[in-house]
Amino acid sequence: MSSAQFDLHLPAPPVTGDIPLVPARMVNEFVYCPRLAYLMWAQSEWAETGDTVEGRRVHTRVDRSNPPLPAPEDVEAKPDKIVSRALALSSERLGVIAKIDIAEAEDGMVTPVDYKRGRRPHVARGAYEPERVQVCLQALLLEEHGYRVDEGALWYVESRERVRVVLDEELRRATQEAVSRLRLTVANGRIPPPLRDSPKCPRCALVSICLPDEMNALGGSDLAPRPIAVPADEALPLVVQSQRARVSKEGDTLKIADEEQGDTTVRLIEVSDVALFGNVAITSPALTALMEREIPVTFHSHGGWFRGMAHGLGNRNAEVRTAQYRVSFDDGACLRFARDLVSAKIFNQRTILRRNWRGDRDTRKETLDRLGAARRSASRTSVLAELRGIEGDAAAVYFRAFARLLTPPETDSSNDGVGLSPFRFETRNRRPPTDPVNAMLSLAYAMLARHLTVTLASVGLDPYRGLFHAPRHGRPALALDLMEPFRPIIADSVVLAAVNTGEVSASDFVSGATGTALTPAGRRRFVSAFERRLSQETTHPLFGYRLSMRRLLTVQARLLSRHLLGELPTCPHY
Ligand code: SF4
């Protein structure tokens, strides 16, 4: 965005029609960081942190109902001090609404008092500007409603100190200007740029949504991104595969009653999402608790086929979905996106072959050269159908060479010493897979699609509307798009590791007229190998910091949303 947007000093016009009033706390956020206010107000983004929970707890204490503030003409007549809590006021002229923690009326004057968690800061005017602006705005609202206001105050809960806020002309002007700028920025529909190398970002609740350093790096900054947007994975998926298992809620935990594995309990705060395979029951209280916490539940067939998902109210960022639909109808934008996507996928296929090749050098060179040529063709083509053809040809080359990467331990007694034979692989097949390697590839792709469907929905995107894969009933097309470059380095790599380390053996598969599938024990081991792969750390090729594959997929989904919203000219694929 141009810096000119922030040079506008025209007051925003009074609010009319159904334009919502801006909450005073958003003006506080805007003064702290314009992008933060935009993310929270225009895009309804939110992330809970310890600080936000504590802030809410502080305000819950002052949100108790009590007698209202007397009318302005009666305030003067009251002999005693009156304390009114959680006073809601609004003004269409200012375009603002506020809930004043405490309004104290005494000697004909009213003083707004805002509660803040933490300790009083030792700064020049006794408090930071965003907080002073928020109190000033509350004072302006009180004045608009006919009250006389001489000063405001901030109460710091932890240090139990009160700081006076002087309502001088400078603060009043800055406050009105902040309101106007926020309203004009939102009306403009353009998100302000992230702060540069700011100490505010590591403390910001929305840092992993905003990606300030990553966005600046992609915009040309030569400062290396700090790994502030990639906190350690605190919660992990809960995958329940035992048939006839039952998931129920017990206090703040989920209990899994399991005849095969014995009963287990998991704390809800440790669960990022729940995957139920086959005949697994979940109780209504458990489902409700998960929905309330926005923890999605995915349902799968016994063999891992992704059947659907239940989640709470979901991400409320309608702006990003609107942008996604708009781009999805733009053929040129879809082609550019798909070209980069296919090119990244072929690049990663080459990487897997290079790292794991066990065959002769000439065939290796020839295979890598063919994939290199396919990648160049993919990045040049201007026809989507041709791109699909290039992708298909590259996949055929890749999977023809895939058998050369499979080296199960010869000591594997379960395959009767015939070496590779249980894991003989000729070509990719599915619906149903006819051999163990294809059975594992199908399950790994289904797991990856499941993970990305959940991730895309959590960042506000519609997993069912793709840019490369055509929408088909029940097909998570955008998840299939985003997973293309990750098929080789996550799914295929899990299959290779499972075979080559002997984690799965021939006895882990059953074959019949309907194809080949993993046994329950084999599937359990394979799914846990897949989740381990997602937890493995890698170095981000663009940002240079270490992060888990799981977090990498989330960052990728966020970058895609920033691209769709027009903040990034291209989507940087992994
Ligand atoms: S992370 Fe930094 S730039 Fe982004 S919203 Fe927060 S304070 Fe603003």
PDB file of all heavy atoms in Angstrom, residues 32-37 39 193-195 198 200-202 204-207 210-212, ligand 1:
ATOM      1  N   TYR A  32      -1.512   1.281  18.109  1.00  0.00           N
ATOM      2  CA  TYR A  32      -0.384   0.352  18.371  1.00  0.00           C
ATOM      3  C   TYR A  32       0.207  -0.118  17.050  1.00  0.00           C
ATOM      4  O   TYR A  32       1.403  -0.102  16.841  1.00  0.00           O
ATOM      5  CB  TYR A  32      -0.910  -0.830  19.180  1.00  0.00           C
ATOM      6  CG  TYR A  32       0.143  -1.834  19.581  1.00  0.00           C
ATOM      7  CD1 TYR A  32       0.957  -1.608  20.687  1.00  0.00           C
ATOM      8  CD2 TYR A  32       0.316  -3.012  18.870  1.00  0.00           C
ATOM      9  CE1 TYR A  32       1.924  -2.525  21.057  1.00  0.00           C
ATOM     10  CE2 TYR A  32       1.278  -3.940  19.231  1.00  0.00           C
ATOM     11  CZ  TYR A  32       2.080  -3.690  20.331  1.00  0.00           C
ATOM     12  OH  TYR A  32       3.038  -4.606  20.689  1.00  0.00           O
ATOM     13  N   CYS A  33      -0.676  -0.542  16.137  1.00  0.00           N
ATOM     14  CA  CYS A  33      -0.233  -1.005  14.818  1.00  0.00           C
ATOM     15  C   CYS A  33      -1.446  -1.017  13.880  1.00  0.00           C
ATOM     16  O   CYS A  33      -2.396  -1.769  14.122  1.00  0.00           O
ATOM     17  CB  CYS A  33       0.368  -2.406  14.922  1.00  0.00           C
ATOM     18  SG  CYS A  33       0.589  -3.182  13.308  1.00  0.00           S
ATOM     19  N   PRO A  34      -1.440  -0.192  12.836  1.00  0.00           N
ATOM     20  CA  PRO A  34      -2.602  -0.132  11.935  1.00  0.00           C
ATOM     21  C   PRO A  34      -2.966  -1.496  11.346  1.00  0.00           C
ATOM     22  O   PRO A  34      -4.144  -1.817  11.167  1.00  0.00           O
ATOM     23  CB  PRO A  34      -2.144   0.839  10.840  1.00  0.00           C
ATOM     24  CG  PRO A  34      -1.117   1.692  11.495  1.00  0.00           C
ATOM     25  CD  PRO A  34      -0.413   0.798  12.478  1.00  0.00           C
ATOM     26  N   ARG A  35      -1.948  -2.322  11.079  1.00  0.00           N
ATOM     27  CA  ARG A  35      -2.234  -3.641  10.478  1.00  0.00           C
ATOM     28  C   ARG A  35      -2.975  -4.548  11.472  1.00  0.00           C
ATOM     29  O   ARG A  35      -3.863  -5.303  11.093  1.00  0.00           O
ATOM     30  CB  ARG A  35      -0.908  -4.281  10.061  1.00  0.00           C
ATOM     31  CG  ARG A  35      -1.047  -5.618   9.345  1.00  0.00           C
ATOM     32  CD  ARG A  35       0.334  -6.052   8.890  1.00  0.00           C
ATOM     33  NE  ARG A  35       0.390  -7.373   8.324  1.00  0.00           N
ATOM     34  CZ  ARG A  35       0.212  -7.655   7.030  1.00  0.00           C
ATOM     35  NH1 ARG A  35      -0.083  -6.697   6.196  1.00  0.00           N
ATOM     36  NH2 ARG A  35       0.326  -8.880   6.572  1.00  0.00           N
ATOM     37  N   LEU A  36      -2.610  -4.423  12.730  1.00  0.00           N
ATOM     38  CA  LEU A  36      -3.258  -5.244  13.753  1.00  0.00           C
ATOM     39  C   LEU A  36      -4.757  -4.925  13.808  1.00  0.00           C
ATOM     40  O   LEU A  36      -5.602  -5.830  13.841  1.00  0.00           O
ATOM     41  CB  LEU A  36      -2.592  -4.989  15.112  1.00  0.00           C
ATOM     42  CG  LEU A  36      -3.193  -5.710  16.313  1.00  0.00           C
ATOM     43  CD1 LEU A  36      -3.102  -7.223  16.148  1.00  0.00           C
ATOM     44  CD2 LEU A  36      -2.483  -5.291  17.607  1.00  0.00           C
ATOM     45  N   ALA A  37      -5.085  -3.624  13.811  1.00  0.00           N
ATOM     46  CA  ALA A  37      -6.501  -3.240  13.859  1.00  0.00           C
ATOM     47  C   ALA A  37      -7.229  -3.750  12.626  1.00  0.00           C
ATOM     48  O   ALA A  37      -8.368  -4.224  12.705  1.00  0.00           O
ATOM     49  CB  ALA A  37      -6.622  -1.717  13.964  1.00  0.00           C
ATOM     50  N   LEU A  39      -6.472  -6.372  10.734  1.00  0.00           N
ATOM     51  CA  LEU A  39      -6.636  -7.831  10.823  1.00  0.00           C
ATOM     52  C   LEU A  39      -7.791  -8.180  11.759  1.00  0.00           C
ATOM     53  O   LEU A  39      -8.607  -9.052  11.459  1.00  0.00           O
ATOM     54  CB  LEU A  39      -5.343  -8.483  11.341  1.00  0.00           C
ATOM     55  CG  LEU A  39      -4.186  -8.594  10.340  1.00  0.00           C
ATOM     56  CD1 LEU A  39      -2.880  -8.941  11.056  1.00  0.00           C
ATOM     57  CD2 LEU A  39      -4.497  -9.649   9.279  1.00  0.00           C
ATOM     58  N   PRO A 193       0.652  -2.189   5.663  1.00  0.00           N
ATOM     59  CA  PRO A 193       1.805  -3.108   5.637  1.00  0.00           C
ATOM     60  C   PRO A 193       2.245  -3.460   7.054  1.00  0.00           C
ATOM     61  O   PRO A 193       1.952  -2.738   8.000  1.00  0.00           O
ATOM     62  CB  PRO A 193       2.875  -2.287   4.916  1.00  0.00           C
ATOM     63  CG  PRO A 193       2.496  -0.875   5.157  1.00  0.00           C
ATOM     64  CD  PRO A 193       1.006  -0.832   5.257  1.00  0.00           C
ATOM     65  N   PRO A 194       2.979  -4.568   7.188  1.00  0.00           N
ATOM     66  CA  PRO A 194       3.479  -4.930   8.527  1.00  0.00           C
ATOM     67  C   PRO A 194       4.549  -3.960   8.997  1.00  0.00           C
ATOM     68  O   PRO A 194       5.215  -3.326   8.178  1.00  0.00           O
ATOM     69  CB  PRO A 194       4.055  -6.334   8.327  1.00  0.00           C
ATOM     70  CG  PRO A 194       4.257  -6.492   6.864  1.00  0.00           C
ATOM     71  CD  PRO A 194       3.341  -5.551   6.156  1.00  0.00           C
ATOM     72  N   LEU A 195       4.711  -3.850  10.305  1.00  0.00           N
ATOM     73  CA  LEU A 195       5.795  -3.045  10.863  1.00  0.00           C
ATOM     74  C   LEU A 195       7.126  -3.694  10.475  1.00  0.00           C
ATOM     75  O   LEU A 195       7.173  -4.900  10.215  1.00  0.00           O
ATOM     76  CB  LEU A 195       5.676  -2.985  12.394  1.00  0.00           C
ATOM     77  CG  LEU A 195       4.342  -2.455  12.942  1.00  0.00           C
ATOM     78  CD1 LEU A 195       4.354  -2.515  14.465  1.00  0.00           C
ATOM     79  CD2 LEU A 195       4.071  -1.026  12.469  1.00  0.00           C
ATOM     80  N   SER A 198      10.014  -4.620  14.150  1.00  0.00           N
ATOM     81  CA  SER A 198       9.509  -3.915  15.327  1.00  0.00           C
ATOM     82  C   SER A 198       9.532  -4.813  16.563  1.00  0.00           C
ATOM     83  O   SER A 198       9.182  -5.997  16.493  1.00  0.00           O
ATOM     84  CB  SER A 198       8.062  -3.466  15.068  1.00  0.00           C
ATOM     85  OG  SER A 198       7.489  -3.043  16.279  1.00  0.00           O
ATOM     86  N   LYS A 200       7.440  -4.656  18.723  1.00  0.00           N
ATOM     87  CA  LYS A 200       6.030  -4.942  19.061  1.00  0.00           C
ATOM     88  C   LYS A 200       5.610  -6.320  18.561  1.00  0.00           C
ATOM     89  O   LYS A 200       4.759  -6.975  19.142  1.00  0.00           O
ATOM     90  CB  LYS A 200       5.119  -3.893  18.412  1.00  0.00           C
ATOM     91  CG  LYS A 200       5.272  -2.494  18.962  1.00  0.00           C
ATOM     92  CD  LYS A 200       4.353  -1.548  18.209  1.00  0.00           C
ATOM     93  CE  LYS A 200       4.498  -0.117  18.717  1.00  0.00           C
ATOM     94  NZ  LYS A 200       3.673   0.815  17.945  1.00  0.00           N
ATOM     95  N   CYS A 201       6.186  -6.752  17.427  1.00  0.00           N
ATOM     96  CA  CYS A 201       5.683  -7.973  16.773  1.00  0.00           C
ATOM     97  C   CYS A 201       5.829  -9.236  17.624  1.00  0.00           C
ATOM     98  O   CYS A 201       4.893 -10.027  17.690  1.00  0.00           O
ATOM     99  CB  CYS A 201       6.328  -8.136  15.403  1.00  0.00           C
ATOM    100  SG  CYS A 201       5.905  -6.760  14.302  1.00  0.00           S
ATOM    101  N   PRO A 202       6.998  -9.465  18.268  1.00  0.00           N
ATOM    102  CA  PRO A 202       7.085 -10.699  19.054  1.00  0.00           C
ATOM    103  C   PRO A 202       6.033 -10.787  20.147  1.00  0.00           C
ATOM    104  O   PRO A 202       5.687 -11.875  20.593  1.00  0.00           O
ATOM    105  CB  PRO A 202       8.506 -10.635  19.653  1.00  0.00           C
ATOM    106  CG  PRO A 202       9.267  -9.764  18.724  1.00  0.00           C
ATOM    107  CD  PRO A 202       8.274  -8.748  18.225  1.00  0.00           C
ATOM    108  N   CYS A 204       2.953  -9.561  19.791  1.00  0.00           N
ATOM    109  CA  CYS A 204       1.624  -9.392  19.187  1.00  0.00           C
ATOM    110  C   CYS A 204       0.903 -10.738  19.087  1.00  0.00           C
ATOM    111  O   CYS A 204       1.469 -11.729  18.613  1.00  0.00           O
ATOM    112  CB  CYS A 204       1.788  -8.776  17.797  1.00  0.00           C
ATOM    113  SG  CYS A 204       0.247  -8.639  16.905  1.00  0.00           S
ATOM    114  N   ALA A 205      -0.360 -10.749  19.502  1.00  0.00           N
ATOM    115  CA  ALA A 205      -1.139 -12.002  19.479  1.00  0.00           C
ATOM    116  C   ALA A 205      -1.320 -12.527  18.056  1.00  0.00           C
ATOM    117  O   ALA A 205      -1.478 -13.725  17.854  1.00  0.00           O
ATOM    118  CB  ALA A 205      -2.499 -11.778  20.137  1.00  0.00           C
ATOM    119  N   LEU A 206      -1.293 -11.634  17.075  1.00  0.00           N
ATOM    120  CA  LEU A 206      -1.580 -12.069  15.705  1.00  0.00           C
ATOM    121  C   LEU A 206      -0.325 -12.269  14.860  1.00  0.00           C
ATOM    122  O   LEU A 206      -0.410 -12.304  13.634  1.00  0.00           O
ATOM    123  CB  LEU A 206      -2.503 -11.057  15.015  1.00  0.00           C
ATOM    124  CG  LEU A 206      -3.885 -10.870  15.617  1.00  0.00           C
ATOM    125  CD1 LEU A 206      -4.817 -10.191  14.617  1.00  0.00           C
ATOM    126  CD2 LEU A 206      -4.505 -12.179  16.055  1.00  0.00           C
ATOM    127  N   VAL A 207       0.826 -12.417  15.514  1.00  0.00           N
ATOM    128  CA  VAL A 207       2.066 -12.476  14.734  1.00  0.00           C
ATOM    129  C   VAL A 207       2.078 -13.655  13.756  1.00  0.00           C
ATOM    130  O   VAL A 207       2.535 -13.539  12.625  1.00  0.00           O
ATOM    131  CB  VAL A 207       3.305 -12.486  15.665  1.00  0.00           C
ATOM    132  CG1 VAL A 207       3.355 -13.722  16.529  1.00  0.00           C
ATOM    133  CG2 VAL A 207       4.586 -12.355  14.863  1.00  0.00           C
ATOM    134  N   CYS A 210      -0.201 -12.543  10.873  1.00  0.00           N
ATOM    135  CA  CYS A 210       0.318 -11.388  10.122  1.00  0.00           C
ATOM    136  C   CYS A 210       1.588 -11.715   9.333  1.00  0.00           C
ATOM    137  O   CYS A 210       1.773 -11.236   8.215  1.00  0.00           O
ATOM    138  CB  CYS A 210       0.576 -10.267  11.128  1.00  0.00           C
ATOM    139  SG  CYS A 210       1.593  -8.944  10.512  1.00  0.00           S
ATOM    140  N   LEU A 211       2.463 -12.548   9.909  1.00  0.00           N
ATOM    141  CA  LEU A 211       3.767 -12.890   9.309  1.00  0.00           C
ATOM    142  C   LEU A 211       4.558 -11.626   8.924  1.00  0.00           C
ATOM    143  O   LEU A 211       4.933 -11.453   7.755  1.00  0.00           O
ATOM    144  CB  LEU A 211       3.587 -13.774   8.066  1.00  0.00           C
ATOM    145  CG  LEU A 211       2.872 -15.109   8.244  1.00  0.00           C
ATOM    146  CD1 LEU A 211       2.727 -15.813   6.903  1.00  0.00           C
ATOM    147  CD2 LEU A 211       3.625 -16.007   9.224  1.00  0.00           C
ATOM    148  N   PRO A 212       4.830 -10.731   9.896  1.00  0.00           N
ATOM    149  CA  PRO A 212       5.426  -9.435   9.541  1.00  0.00           C
ATOM    150  C   PRO A 212       6.784  -9.542   8.866  1.00  0.00           C
ATOM    151  O   PRO A 212       7.006  -8.952   7.807  1.00  0.00           O
ATOM    152  CB  PRO A 212       5.537  -8.721  10.895  1.00  0.00           C
ATOM    153  CG  PRO A 212       5.555  -9.819  11.914  1.00  0.00           C
ATOM    154  CD  PRO A 212       4.673 -10.900  11.348  1.00  0.00           C
TER     155      PRO A 212
HETATM  156  S1  SF4 B   1       2.788  -8.767  14.134  1.00  0.00           S
HETATM  157 FE1  SF4 B   1       3.597  -6.684  14.133  1.00  0.00          FE
HETATM  158  S2  SF4 B   1       2.994  -5.824  12.160  1.00  0.00           S
HETATM  159 FE2  SF4 B   1       1.770  -7.646  12.497  1.00  0.00          FE
HETATM  160  S3  SF4 B   1      -0.117  -6.930  13.397  1.00  0.00           S
HETATM  161 FE3  SF4 B   1       1.218  -7.495  15.078  1.00  0.00          FE
HETATM  162  S4  SF4 B   1       2.313  -5.622  15.625  1.00  0.00           S
HETATM  163 FE4  SF4 B   1       1.399  -5.300  13.610  1.00  0.00          FE
END
